[in-house]
């Protein structure tokens, strides 16, 4: 495996592990802990997701650079990387601002209706997970 391939695989699977651990384990479980109120959970979630998204940006840049300098047979690797990075971009630019505004209202003690933006964020997380699996497995298989 080339050095760019090794970088893509490492960054992809670390990124995937972080998304799975935070988005699909920590986020839903924190609200089930005794004494965690919605405002407290939202406050914790904002800090955790800000850190996760910052780390994701690092992994995404690393993946993009490694894919750009690598030599790939076909377009599968660049497309899978593009889908994962595109999902992240949509989350950060399109969905996170809506979720932040809603959580601002809740943290200020106001009532806020349930938002479909949360479902959009989760849907993009699923797309990102699938794309990262696709990317990592494809690069590993190309060996």
């Amino acid at each position: 495996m080339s050095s760019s391939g090794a970088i893509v695989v490492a960054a992809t699977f670390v990124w995937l592990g972080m998304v799975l651990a935070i988005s699909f384990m920590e986020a839903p479980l924190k609200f089930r802990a005794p004494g965690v109120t919605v405002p407290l959970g939202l406050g914790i979630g904002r800090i955790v997701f800000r850190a996760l998204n910052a780390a994701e940006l690092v992994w995404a840049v690393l993946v993009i650079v490694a894919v750009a300098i690598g030599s790939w047979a076909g377009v599968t690797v660049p497309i899978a990387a593009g889908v994962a990075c595109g999902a992240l971009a949509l989350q950060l630019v399109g969905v996170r601002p809506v979720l932040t505004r809603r959580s601002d209202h809740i943290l200020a003690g106001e009532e806020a209706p349930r938002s479909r933006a949360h479902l959009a964020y989760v849907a993009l997380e699923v797309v990102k997970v699938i794309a990262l699996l696709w990317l990592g497995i494809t690069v590993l298989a190309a060996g």
Side-chain angles (χ1 to χ4, degrees), residues 70-106:
S71 175
W72 313 104
V75 296
T76 303
V77 169
I79 289 174
V83 170
C85 294
L88 176 62
L90 286 172
Q91 286 175 310
L92 296 179
V93 175
V95 183
R96 275 287 304 269
V98 175
L99 292 174
T100 298
R101 282 191 297 276
R102 180 177 183 274
S103 64
D104 285 344
H105 290 291
I106 294 171

Side-chain angles (χ1 to χ4, degrees), residues 33-103:
V36 175
T37 63
V38 171
L40 179 60
L42 286 176
I44 293 167
R46 288 172 74 154
I47 293 168
V48 170
F49 274 90
R50 190 175 307 125
L52 172 63
N53 292 153
E56 285 186 284
L57 284 171
V58 171
W59 299 124
V61 168
L62 196 55
V63 165
I64 290 167
V65 169
V67 167
I69 64 173
S71 175
W72 313 104
V75 296
T76 303
V77 169
I79 289 174
V83 170
C85 294
L88 176 62
L90 286 172
Q91 286 175 310
L92 296 179
V93 175
V95 183
R96 275 287 304 269
V98 175
L99 292 174
T100 298
R101 282 191 297 276
R102 180 177 183 274
S103 64

